[in-house]
């Protein structure tokens, strides 16, 4: 099925939940943050926001529950709680096998809603950062997912036209961003690649 990637010049991976199995830790950090700041915690909804920058998630929490939380303060708490969990990120094997198979053959980028310092830390820990042709984080764009800017910027950084890129993503919001960027999207469901039916 990897052969279908021959049609593309650039491959863009989301980070959390797609390339790196870090979503459980992020969800737990949000649960703790909700407890600290006194807002409801909805695990399924929170997971659906994977790829959205932390401060933007705080804005959505305010909108969803009619609150007036300080979004930067909530974001800082969430990052602090994630750090306190002291979890060691690890690669999602099925996605990483695709990543490895493309090294030296295609341009490869990561487009994530995480801030740059966090993304660089995680990707360094799992040993892939030195293999990337581009890394686009929440610090590099003015609009996060589902806006296409993250993926368009990644394509530009790789020197590849958007229509020649494919994105690996694990959330609806991430897929919306990829489609809006004019790119194809292959979904990851709990560590399993959902290859297009036509490739089987």
């Amino acid at each position: 099925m990897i052969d279908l990637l021959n049609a593309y010049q650039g491959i863009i991976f989301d980070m959390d939940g797609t390339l790196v199995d870090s979503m459980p830790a992020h969800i737990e950090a949000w649960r703790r943050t909700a407890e600290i700041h006194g807002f409801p915690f909805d695990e399924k909804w929170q997971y659906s926001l994977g790829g959205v920058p932390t401060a933007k998630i705080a804005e959505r929490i305010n909108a969803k529950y009619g609150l007036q939380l300080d979004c930067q303060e909530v974001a800082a708490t969430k990052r602090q709680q994630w750090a306190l969990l002291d979890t060691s990120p690890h690669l999602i094997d099925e996605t990483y096998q695709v990543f490895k198979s493309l090294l030296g053959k295609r341009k490869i980028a990561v487009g994530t809603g995480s801030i740059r310092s966090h993304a660089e830390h995680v990707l360094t820990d799992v040993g892939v950062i030195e293999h990337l042709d581009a890394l686009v984080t929440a610090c590099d764009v003015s609009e996060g997912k589902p806006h296409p800017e993250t993926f368009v910027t990644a394509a530009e950084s790789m020197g590849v036209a958007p229509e020649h890129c494919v994105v690996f993503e694990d959330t609806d919001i991430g897929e919306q961003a990829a489609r809006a960027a004019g790119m194809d999207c292959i979904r990851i469901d709990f560590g399993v690649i959902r290859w297009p039916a036509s490739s089987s």
Side-chain angles (χ1 to χ4, degrees):
M1 293 186 190
I2 289 176
D3 288 347
L4 73 86
L5 299 179
N6 291 336
Y8 304 99
Q9 298 172 20
I11 317 294
I12 306 173
F13 294 91
D14 171 50
M15 186 175 73
D16 297 309
T18 297
L19 187 59
V20 181
D21 186 19
S22 49
M23 284 302 286
H26 282 292
I27 297 300
E28 173 59 18
W30 274 116
R31 187 195 66 76
R32 295 182 179 193
T33 301
E35 195 172 274
I36 291 167
H37 289 279
F39 60 84
F41 174 69
D42 181 336
E43 181 174 349
K44 186 176 180 180
W45 180 73
Q46 204 73 60
Y47 193 98
S48 76
L49 297 176
V52 176
T54 307
K56 293 292 186 182
I57 292 177
E59 290 178 10
R60 291 184 182 221
I61 289 167
N62 275 340
K64 182 177 174 70
Y65 299 111
L67 301 173
Q68 300 283 327
L69 299 169
D70 182 319
C71 294
Q72 294 303 320
E73 185 179 339
V74 170
T77 299
K78 189 268 175 178
R79 287 191 283 267
Q80 180 186 51
Q81 292 304 311
W82 192 90
L84 288 172
L85 289 170
D86 195 27
T87 56
S88 297
H90 61 274
L91 290 159
I92 294 174
D93 185 65
E94 191 167 338
T95 315
Y96 182 54
Q97 294 308 315
V98 173
F99 183 98
K100 284 199 302 182
S101 76
L102 297 168
L103 291 178
K105 301 174 183 176
R106 296 289 183 276
K107 293 293 183 80
I108 301 176
V110 165
T112 176
S114 293
I115 61 173
R116 177 162 285 274
S117 59
H118 172 72
E120 288 179 344
H121 173 75
V122 169
L123 294 169
T124 299
D125 270 7
V126 297
V128 303
I129 196 165
E130 63 268 25
H131 300 300
L132 298 177
D133 295 290
L135 169 61
V136 180
T137 72
C139 299
D140 306 309
V141 297
S142 56
E143 297 286 346
K145 303 172 191 176
H147 192 281
E149 186 180 1
T150 296
F151 295 138
V152 170
T153 303
E156 289 175 350
S157 299
M158 292 189 293
V160 178
E163 62 268 26
H164 297 310
C165 294
V166 64
V167 175
F168 283 82
E169 262 285 0
D170 69 313
T171 65
D172 289 343
I173 284 173
E175 182 172 359
Q176 288 171 32
R179 302 290 183 194
M183 302 177 184
D184 289 335
C185 185
I186 297 172
R187 288 291 293 266
I188 311 297
D189 284 336
F190 302 103
V192 177
I193 298 174
R194 200 166 75 202
W195 293 101
S198 59
S199 67
S200 56

